Amino acid sequence: MLYITQLIYIKPGKEAIFQEFENHAIPLMEKYSGKLVQRLRPESAAYVDGEERKPYEIHIVSFESEDKLKEFMKDDTRLKFKHLKEESVESILMFKGEKM
């Protein structure tokens, strides 16, 4: 099982556009054995310290394999809405790993 943690930084004022992309992308993950383990939106009070600014959202997702993740990334439906992600996301810091 592959686990992915994403720290997602949104362009100012583009939150609704990002949410529209997520409304399409998140349900599609299941088709490729993907699961949303956690989706967090940290409040400023919860942010203790760090060199980077606070992310808009933190996602932890899982996929059965790297191949399933690649299939999800190439899905035609996801690609149809990818412009929303590109318009709204400033950057993503992504970590891949496995459950220990």
Side-chain angles (χ1 to χ4, degrees):
M1 187 69 70
L2 173 67
Y3 287 88
I4 300 165
T5 301
Q6 297 177 311
L7 299 155
I8 303 169
Y9 299 90
I10 301 297
K11 295 175 185 174
K14 302 291 184 174
E15 295 84 1
I17 296 169
F18 175 71
Q19 184 59 53
E20 186 178 346
F21 172 74
E22 293 292 273
N23 289 344
H24 296 286
I26 290 173
L28 189 60
M29 291 188 324
E30 193 172 304
K31 180 178 175 183
Y32 299 96
S33 78
K35 294 183 181 174
L36 182 62
V37 177
Q38 295 285 333
R39 182 179 180 189
L40 309 165
R41 199 171 287 159
E43 297 290 330
S44 293
Y47 195 72
V48 178
D49 196 7
E51 292 182 7
E52 293 285 330
R53 64 186 169 91
K54 177 178 72 70
Y56 176 72
E57 283 189 356
I58 300 169
H59 293 187
I60 302 170
V61 299
S62 67
F63 283 89
E64 192 174 277
S65 66
E66 184 78 32
D67 289 338
K68 291 290 187 183
L69 170 62
K70 288 177 183 176
E71 289 175 26
F72 166 71
M73 298 296 281
K74 293 178 186 176
D75 182 272
D76 289 338
T77 301
R78 182 185 172 280
L79 294 176
K80 186 168 110 175
F81 295 102
K82 188 177 176 191
H83 69 281
L84 298 170
K85 179 181 178 183
E86 292 168 349
E87 184 179 341
S88 62
V89 173
E90 185 176 296
S91 65
I92 296 174
L93 182 56
M94 184 167 73
F95 305 90
K96 291 182 185 178
E98 55 189 47
K99 192 172 187 175
M100 297 180 71

